[in-house]
């Protein structure tokens, strides 16, 4: 899942981003409203975590502008404006998809982001299965022929994308765009290294195939 955190409090923004990355999400950060809008126009984010009190352009303005797009990201307003009328205004007048007041519990933030990410047509099932591999998206668990496999967040996210593709090739650029963030050099060997580790951990080097010019896919 690709998430943009629009928050001008740098420490909080870094903390949220680090925590979401540990949950196998690709996270970018914007420190102002105009930057958040620009990044959403350039990148297809699944969820935007949006502070209402942003510099240059307020979160309210960002929300209004993004709602004019054909396919805007899901917007979770994360703000200190916690009064009932603020929540109603954000959800009904501004068009936010969800609203969470500060201070907040991080586990609740993660749950709300995941819930928003599932609000797409025909979402993939919570449990994916392919060639003896089982991946539970909600529990973040993977088993290979009955054996529990410990994966890093990036490894889990890559495997999830491959399993959701159901044997079709997933392009290198799509893996970079979805699993990593904007700071990753597209020429990096990070994807290849992650695929190599996955093959070893899953115990079947031939499970993930490399299609020259196409990307990676699961066999079987």
């Amino acid at each position: 899942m690709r998430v943009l955190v629009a928050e001008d409090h740098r420490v909080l923004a870094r903390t949220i981003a680090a925590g979401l990355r540990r949950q196998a999400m690709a996270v970018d950060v914007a420190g102002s409203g105009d930057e958040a809008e620009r990044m959403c126009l350039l990148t297809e984010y699944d969820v935007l975590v949006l502070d209402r009190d942003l510099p240059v352009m307020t979160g309210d303005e960002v929300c209004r502008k993004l709602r004019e797009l054909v396919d805007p990201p899901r917007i979770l307003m994360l703000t200190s404006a916690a009064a009932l009328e603020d929540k109603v205004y954000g959800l009904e007048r501004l068009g936010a998809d969800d609203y969470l007041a500060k201070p907040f519990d991080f586990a609740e933030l993660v749950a709300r982001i995941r819930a928003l990410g599932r609000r797409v047509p025909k979402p993939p099932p919570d449990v994916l299965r392919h060639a003896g591999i089982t991946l539970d998206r909600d529990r973040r668990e993977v088993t290979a022929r009955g054996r529990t496999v410990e994966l890093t967040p990036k490894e889990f996210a890559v495997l999830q994308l491959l399993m959701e593709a159901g044997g079709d090739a997933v392009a290198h650029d799509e893996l970079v765009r979805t699993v990593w963030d904007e700071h990753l050099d597209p020429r990096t060997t990070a994807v290849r290294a992650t695929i190599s580790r996955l093959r070893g951990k899953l115990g079947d080097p031939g499970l993930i195939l490399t299609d020259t010019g196409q990307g990676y896919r699961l066999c079987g």
Side-chain angles (χ1 to χ4, degrees), residues 143-165:
T143 59
R145 296 169 182 84
R147 172 180 57 88
T148 300
V149 180
E150 297 293 337
L151 299 181
T152 67
K154 295 299 186 192
E155 292 164 355
F156 186 96
V158 168
L159 180 60
Q160 178 177 320
L161 267 183
L162 293 175
M163 294 186 72
E164 288 175 353

Side-chain angles (χ1 to χ4, degrees), residues 120-128 137 160 164:
V120 294
K122 296 182 180 179
D126 290 335
V127 178
L128 304 172
R137 299 195 312 150
Q160 178 177 320
E164 288 175 353

